[in-house]
Amino acid sequence: MPDYDVLCIGNAIVDIIAQCEEEFLETNGIIKGAMNLIDTHRAELLYSRMGPAIEASGGSAGNTAAGVASFGGRAAFFGKVSNDGLGEIYTHDIRAQGVAFDTTPLQGEPPTARSMIFVTPDGERSMNTYLGACVELGPEDVEADKASGAKVTYFEGYLWDPPRAKEAIRQTARLAHAAGREVSMTLSDSFCVDRYRDEFLDLMRSGTVDIVFANSHEIKSLYQTSSFDEALANIRKDCRIAAVTRSEKGSVIVRGDETVVIQATAIRELVDTTGAGDLYAAGFLHGYTQGRDLKTCGDLGSLAAGLVIQQIGPRPRQNLRREAEQAGLL
């Protein structure tokens, strides 16, 4: 039996979340709805201009790991924090969610990563991320037993920014495939896709990645087309399974000639879209690693995403297993 259902690899980031008006983004040169990489000086400047904020452990793949654990799945995480206050917060939070997290913290500089997230009245989040210790994640942080012992390894496209993380992911993928496991990734962000389009396509076409998660903007960016249908036809050929989210339109899952359309979960109020895609992946992968059909996998993803966007912060406050059982999905 595998030791874990899902191993997630990602940037270990503490989110600092504040609400703001549209004008704040314009005044401070923040690209709305994107993840903007920033340096130390910019991080300090934006932090000084933030209103009242909530600190919460985040990072895309870390959120997915927390979601899998909330569903009752066995989740593990590779990610680098520093031996500092934010690093202690991050480590405590992800372990408290039930995720196995044993990556050795960095001693000294740079500090633990943080992301200043500004949420506008429409619920859209604009992220300004200082990667800090994340850039130090490398092959030495790959735990072979977890890499070969998880049913699915999942990593975030954002990890293609720090160069040594690429080596860690490729090494993990080799160990996973050698053990007969599967590897998945999220495209993360359309700007991230613009930076690494050829590499992401190669990961899929070479078979390094079996399952791809994306939203409609990212998949169109990947294939440089304005047509969603054209992009979907292309990704169908390039990877074994693709799950593409479309906000209020739900999601579409393709596998070979098979197409499964998933409805979005009805919500009372859109509060904060931070973590929506991460939690969709968590629900999907939980269902997938339990042997569920693609429709149920998508419904679980839709449920988790629908719940997280009705709160501030990217990690589920409800017990997702209980919510799924009440919805008749588990």
Side-chain angles (χ1 to χ4, degrees):
M1 282 289 291
D3 297 312
Y4 298 97
D5 296 315
V6 185
L7 164 63
C8 297
I9 311 175
N11 290 324
I13 299 170
V14 176
D15 291 337
I16 304 169
I17 307 165
Q19 292 171 305
C20 75
E21 297 300 320
E22 299 278 349
E23 292 77 14
F24 182 90
L25 303 184
E26 294 166 17
T27 302
N28 289 281
I30 295 167
I31 301 171
K32 184 176 177 179
M35 191 282 284
N36 308 280
L37 286 176
I38 60 175
D39 60 17
T40 310
H41 174 72
R42 176 87 169 145
E44 290 171 354
L45 177 70
L46 289 179
Y47 187 68
S48 72
R49 294 179 178 177
M50 284 184 103
I54 295 169
E55 288 187 359
S57 294
S60 177
N63 297 337
T64 299
V68 170
S70 184
F71 273 112
R74 296 163 298 169
F77 179 69
F78 294 168
K80 201 75 168 175
V81 297
S82 193
N83 189 20
D84 56 18
L86 285 182
E88 289 173 10
I89 288 172
Y90 191 93
T91 301
H92 169 269
D93 285 357
I94 198 164
R95 287 177 177 169
Q97 292 268 3
V99 177
F101 176 47
D102 302 302
T103 307
T104 304
L106 185 68
Q107 302 297 317
E109 296 291 323
T112 296
R114 72 285 314 263
S115 183
M116 267 69 73
I117 301 177
F118 297 95
V119 182
T120 38
D122 60 358
E124 185 62 84
R125 84 285 182 271
S126 304
M127 299 181 287
N128 302 269
T129 304
Y130 168 62
L131 287 175
C134 290
V135 301
E136 300 301 324
L137 182 75
E140 68 279 5
D141 294 307
V142 174
E143 299 162 58
D145 57 335
K146 290 187 173 106
S148 58
K151 293 177 184 176
V152 176
T153 289
Y154 169 88
F155 69 89
E156 57 187 74
Y158 287 138
L159 271 184
W160 241 242
D161 284 313
R164 295 180 69 250
K166 296 182 189 184
E167 300 173 45
I169 288 168
R170 292 187 187 281
Q171 182 175 327
T172 305
R174 284 192 294 270
L175 289 164
H177 282 141
R181 315 296 186 205
E182 292 176 276
V183 177
S184 64
M185 76 173 291
T186 171
L187 298 185
S188 291
D189 181 294
S190 54
F191 292 92
C192 187
V193 174
D194 285 340
R195 292 194 292 274
Y196 304 111
R197 180 177 294 106
D198 291 344
E199 290 178 70
F200 286 176
L201 286 169
D202 180 64
L203 285 170
M204 293 155 55
R205 292 167 178 167
S206 66
T208 303
V209 167
D210 306 291
I211 304 167
V212 174
F213 293 89
N215 64 29
S216 56
H217 302 296
E218 293 154 6
I219 190 177
K220 287 188 285 188
S221 173
L222 184 67
Y223 293 105
Q224 297 178 282
T225 176
S226 58
S227 165
F228 177 76
D229 291 337
E230 182 184 330
L232 198 66
N234 280 321
I235 203 165
R236 193 190 291 274
K237 293 181 290 190
D238 282 342
C239 64
R240 214 166 54 72
I241 298 174
V244 186
T245 57
R246 308 185 72 187
S247 300
E248 71 278 359
K249 295 180 183 176
S251 59
V252 181
I253 302 163
V254 294
R255 177 173 58 190
D257 295 332
E258 187 179 0
T259 304
V260 180
V261 178
I262 304 295
Q263 299 301 311
T265 298
I267 63 169
R268 292 190 188 89
E269 181 189 11
L270 174 60
V271 176
D272 173 14
T273 58
T274 311
D278 307 333
L279 270 293
Y280 179 92
F284 184 100
L285 289 171
H286 178 65
Y288 187 77
T289 55
Q290 303 310 306
R292 304 304 176 111
D293 59 44
L294 292 182
K295 170 75 165 62
T296 304
C297 294
D299 285 340
L300 287 166
S302 191
L303 172 73
L307 290 169
V308 82
I309 63 175
Q310 296 181 77
Q311 63 173 51
I312 291 282
R315 295 195 179 171
R317 293 179 190 163
Q318 301 96 330
N319 180 298
L320 293 180
R321 182 165 194 85
R322 192 178 308 122
E323 296 285 343
E325 286 169 350
Q326 288 174 358
L329 294 174
L330 288 180

